[in-house]
Amino acid sequence: MPIQVLPPEVAAKIAAGEVVERPASVVKELIENAIDADARQIRIEVREGGRRLIRVTDNGIGISHEELPLAFARHATSKLRTLEDLERIRTLGFRGEALASIAAVSRVTMMSRQVDSPSGALIHIEGGVQMRQTKVGMAPGTAVTVENLFYNVPARLKFLKAPATEAGHIHRVVTRYAMAFPEIRFHLKIDERNVLQTSGDGSLYNVLLELFGPETCRQLLALPEQVLEESGASSRVQVSGYAGAPTLHHAQRDHITLFVNRRWIQDRLLSTAIIQAYHTMLPTGRYPMTVVNVTLDPSEVDVNMHPAKNEVKFRDQHAVFRVVQQAVRRALLENSSISTATLRSERIALSAAPLTPETGWRQLAHFGFEVQRTLSSTDAEEASSQARLPVLRVLGQLALTYIIAEGPDGLYLIDQHAAHERVLFEEVKRQCAADSVSMQQLLPPLLLELTPGQAAILEAERATLIQIGFEIESFGGYTYRLRAVPEILASCDPATALNDILSELAEGGVPLAHRADERVITTVCKCAAIKAGQALSLREMHELVHRLEQCEAPRTCPHGRPTMLYLSAAQLAREFGRL
Ligand code: ADP
Ligand code: MG
């Protein structure tokens, strides 16, 4: 094909794709604009997961009649003039492309009125083309309505998830801004339901109370007022916020919330700083809940890393890392009575990164063993994965993670978590096939308040969850009543287990699950299985290995990863020079 300059509408759609990935991105950009316009109240309304309608209304400074069309021009912004301005940016927006991008892929109506203007102005744009501009009566501020998102980008439309899932993303976005701006009143309405309302009284704690409820908030520790550090050119880094006590832990990292100069960001390094601050305080594989605000001079941080503006680069990344880690660590230690009381004695954290079969394997290789993997996960070696195990004799536990066992033909190292997953998986499937699932009744039943995203997943997988032993019913809104859980979850906290299961399911993707219900079963088994880092008695190990011997496919976990490594007697003999 010859090289050609793309027609403007094609280029616009391509550029829009970087900013507007899904309805939640639209909500994010519109909220940022309202905050930049000094709004004290922001209302967000969405319908059908934002696909049909998103409306954000603020009481900010507004836009003049003349400038209204300009707001939709690409690279049109009132927030910076020169390249140097970018170095000290204090607003959330600065790229001047959000409105242009949104308008390119939807039908947008913007109404805006400045305080000293007698009336407001309305502009309507479809697929990037201005249709009309008129005067309207309205209160000072701005209201942007986005309808039929992606109506002209079928490829994007196809990738949108169920409305409830998209609503869940939107909920999360609003939640973040509510946390970052406690002085602003946020109101979120999803399909006529008021799902979130903050008071705007300036207290982060009150926002958290509104978002997570008193039970969670009782377990929050305020970070020490300020932690300052002279970093390089005498600038200071300030940290504030809350760290969850070690009693509050989750299966995923996404309960670690980070703001830099009030911008929500994703930063692996800072998340690691926080996770490390909890070292040895949390069960292996569990992550804390924190809300951390980092404040530093804007010239110390580059916010122009990505069109979605949720990644930043620090001039002195290590200083920020240290300050954040110290603040969280101090909060935890100063409240050590809470943190130690919650440590479960049988669970001892091994290291920051839990051992996976892969790393365990590499470690053995490091000791000089030539280890042969009995099966690699994705190979089409279904046949050998079916091979039953010989009778094994348990010798002991290694690193609180692996069971060492001896067979007639060599040494077996069994990953306790993966093995237990396999055992539970086959058990649950057997029970389902025989229509006789074992359940554990909850007395009294448990009321669970889910997020819209979790509720969506629960609804989607409800039939399978019930089939495997959950007894769950709607209790209005996103509240559910849990009456029973599968027997295999009997020793877990039911609320935590269901939470973990729903967030695991939200993560998606289980490679070897051929059938949809297997995905649910796999996830439930994963949550129910013994974790790495858990000390097992000889009897428990014997029992687990014995049950594994009975399995049809004992050599892989339901995700397809190996449950064991095998070192043959011949290999051992060779290594010791006996052969
Ligand atoms: P950016 O936020 O990067 O400047 P946008 O495309 O999001 O770019 O917005 C373009 C301009 O429109 C902003 O710079 C601002 O002047 C104006 N604007 C957008 N939304 C609002 C609002 N809610 N209130 C007042 N002005 C707004
Ligand atoms: Mg903007």
Side-chain angles (χ1 to χ4, degrees):
M1 247 198 284
I3 299 177
Q4 278 181 350
V5 174
L6 289 174
E9 65 281 6
V10 178
K13 275 192 202 170
I14 292 174
E18 295 201 301
V19 181
V20 188
E21 193 196 336
R22 57 180 355 139
S25 349
V26 172
V27 172
K28 170 188 189 291
E29 295 295 339
L30 297 182
I31 291 179
E32 288 194 352
N33 282 347
I35 294 172
D36 285 345
D38 287 332
R40 282 291 162 269
Q41 273 184 44
I42 303 177
R43 278 180 66 87
I44 303 107
E45 199 184 325
V46 303
R47 292 204 202 124
E48 284 175 27
R51 181 195 288 205
R52 203 159 89 75
L53 177 133
I54 295 169
R55 178 176 294 138
V56 175
T57 311
D58 68 56
N59 65 350
I61 57 171
I63 309 174
S64 69
H65 294 210
E66 308 78 59
E67 286 190 344
L68 205 52
L70 204 54
F72 287 90
R74 195 161 290 279
H75 308 303
T77 178
S78 56
K79 298 169 194 175
L80 58 82
R81 292 268 169 273
T82 65
L83 206 54
E84 288 76 54
D85 292 343
L86 192 55
E87 297 249 317
R88 39 178 183 270
I89 203 80
R90 288 182 189 278
T91 47
L92 293 170
F94 53 83
R95 301 174 62 101
E97 58 182 5
L99 288 182
S101 298
I102 295 167
V105 294
S106 68
R107 303 190 165 98
V108 181
T109 310
M110 186 191 234
M111 290 167 43
S112 194
R113 179 185 152 195
Q114 293 182 312
V115 171
D116 50 12
S117 171
S119 67
L122 177 153
I123 188 169
H124 183 73
I125 298 177
E126 292 199 3
V129 182
Q130 181 178 336
M131 309 305 279
R132 66 194 148 95
Q133 183 170 353
T134 51
K135 271 190 181 178
V136 284
M138 65 180 287
T142 303
V144 183
T145 308
V146 176
E147 286 165 291
N148 305 98
L149 183 63
F150 298 138
Y151 78 96
N152 54 356
V153 197
R156 269 291 155 94
L157 203 54
K158 232 178 21 218
F159 278 98
L160 286 187
K161 299 277 191 300
T165 308
E166 295 296 342
H169 286 291
I170 291 171
H171 187 261
R172 219 161 303 142
V173 163
V174 178
T175 299
R176 287 176 192 143
Y177 286 97
M179 288 194 259
F181 294 87
E183 74 277 27
I184 298 179
R185 273 169 77 102
F186 284 88
H187 183 165
L188 171 63
K189 199 167 167 184
I190 297 178
D191 295 324
E192 301 304 316
R193 276 204 299 206
N194 298 317
V195 295
L196 192 154
Q197 167 106 55
T198 62
S199 71
D201 68 359
S203 149
L204 170 58
Y205 190 80
N206 286 346
V207 172
L208 297 176
L209 207 53
E210 173 63 41
L211 296 175
F212 303 108
E215 186 49 39
T216 297
C217 288
R218 256 197 294 282
Q219 303 172 67
L220 292 179
L221 313 169
L223 296 183
E225 244 337 56
Q226 281 186 352
V227 178
L228 301 175
E229 183 168 299
E230 303 302 318
S231 81
S234 79
S235 69
R236 47 184 223 162
V237 185
Q238 192 176 325
V239 178
S240 66
Y242 290 88
T247 29
L248 268 185
H249 49 76
H250 299 273
Q252 249 82 40
R253 286 168 181 247
D254 57 6
H255 294 262
I256 297 174
T257 306
L258 277 169
F259 301 102
V260 170
N261 290 345
R262 311 187 90 188
R263 182 189 302 281
W264 177 79
I265 58 149
Q266 280 178 302
D267 190 298
R268 270 201 90 75
L269 197 79
L270 285 189
S271 304
T272 305
I274 292 170
I275 293 165
Q276 283 184 3
Y278 282 83
H279 187 56
T280 73
M281 294 185 186
L282 295 179
T284 315
R286 306 290 298 182
Y287 298 97
M289 170 184 171
T290 56
V291 181
V292 176
N293 295 306
V294 178
T295 312
L296 73 179
D297 193 275
S299 63
E300 289 288 306
V301 47
D302 184 355
V303 290
N304 191 23
M305 300 296 296
H306 188 272
K309 300 168 291 176
N310 50 23
E311 279 169 44
V312 298
K313 198 166 167 190
F314 298 103
R315 199 198 295 253
D316 187 351
Q317 167 179 312
H318 296 292
V320 181
F321 183 97
R322 275 197 307 276
V323 180
V324 167
Q325 189 167 75
Q326 278 168 16
V328 175
R329 190 75 186 167
R330 263 181 54 196
L332 294 171
L333 293 180
E334 281 166 15
N335 295 278
S336 55
S337 59
I338 307 180
S339 39
T340 47
T342 60
L343 262 184
R344 307 252 311 256
S345 57
E346 82 272 26
R347 287 181 165 184
I348 302 161
L350 289 175
S351 62
L355 291 176
T356 61
E358 269 307 316
T359 57
W361 189 54
R362 248 181 272 124
Q363 278 171 9
L364 263 193
H366 176 77
F367 292 137
F369 285 108
E370 183 190 314
V371 186
Q372 172 195 332
R373 233 142 60 103
T374 50
L375 183 87
S376 62
S377 48
T378 45
D379 297 3
E381 295 180 41
E382 285 279 308
S384 66
S385 81
Q386 301 291 330
R388 298 250 182 179
L389 285 185
V391 176
L392 301 178
R393 184 169 75 92
V394 173
L395 302 176
Q397 195 183 18
L398 174 68
L400 298 180
T401 302
Y402 309 103
I403 298 168
I404 309 172
E406 176 191 22
D409 49 358
L411 175 79
Y412 290 76
L413 254 189
I414 300 166
D415 181 300
Q416 63 194 42
H417 172 69
H420 199 207
E421 273 184 301
R422 162 56 63 189
V423 166
L424 295 176
F425 180 72
E426 293 201 4
E427 212 168 271
V428 172
K429 288 209 22 170
R430 233 184 350 261
Q431 288 178 5
C432 287
D435 216 2
S436 67
V437 287
S438 314
M439 294 157 76
Q440 166 90 23
Q441 296 295 328
L442 302 178
L443 293 171
L446 206 65
L447 278 191
L448 293 176
E449 176 69 35
L450 301 182
T451 64
Q454 287 177 318
I457 290 159
L458 189 139
E459 290 301 340
E461 309 290 3
R462 194 176 191 137
T464 317
L465 289 171
I466 289 173
Q467 193 201 350
I468 63 176
F470 280 96
E471 235 183 82
I472 191 154
E473 55 201 40
S474 316
F475 198 70
Y478 297 119
T479 306
Y480 287 83
R481 181 156 44 198
L482 189 58
R483 292 185 171 283
V485 295
E487 177 74 36
I488 60 166
L489 289 170
S491 59
C492 308
D493 173 56
T496 312
L498 189 65
N499 254 309
D500 290 354
I501 290 162
L502 294 175
S503 40
E504 277 280 333
L505 288 173
E507 293 283 298
V510 178
L512 288 189
H514 301 298
R515 291 174 24 208
D517 57 348
E518 286 202 352
R519 190 169 110 83
V520 177
I521 299 177
T522 309
T523 308
V524 173
C525 293
K526 177 177 176 190
C527 292
I530 303 167
K531 305 291 182 290
Q534 193 169 332
L536 299 179
S537 71
L538 215 53
R539 243 193 59 198
E540 288 169 322
M541 287 189 274
H542 178 79
E543 147 108 10
L544 175 56
V545 170
H546 181 67
R547 284 162 76 188
L548 190 63
E549 287 164 13
Q550 318 292 315
C551 284
E552 283 178 5
R555 288 161 204 266
T556 55
C557 79
H559 301 89
R561 287 190 290 271
T563 53
M564 62 183 65
L565 305 173
Y566 165 60
L567 197 59
S568 74
Q571 261 177 315
L572 272 173
R574 216 179 24 248
E575 290 294 334
F576 286 108
R578 289 172 168 277
L579 223 60

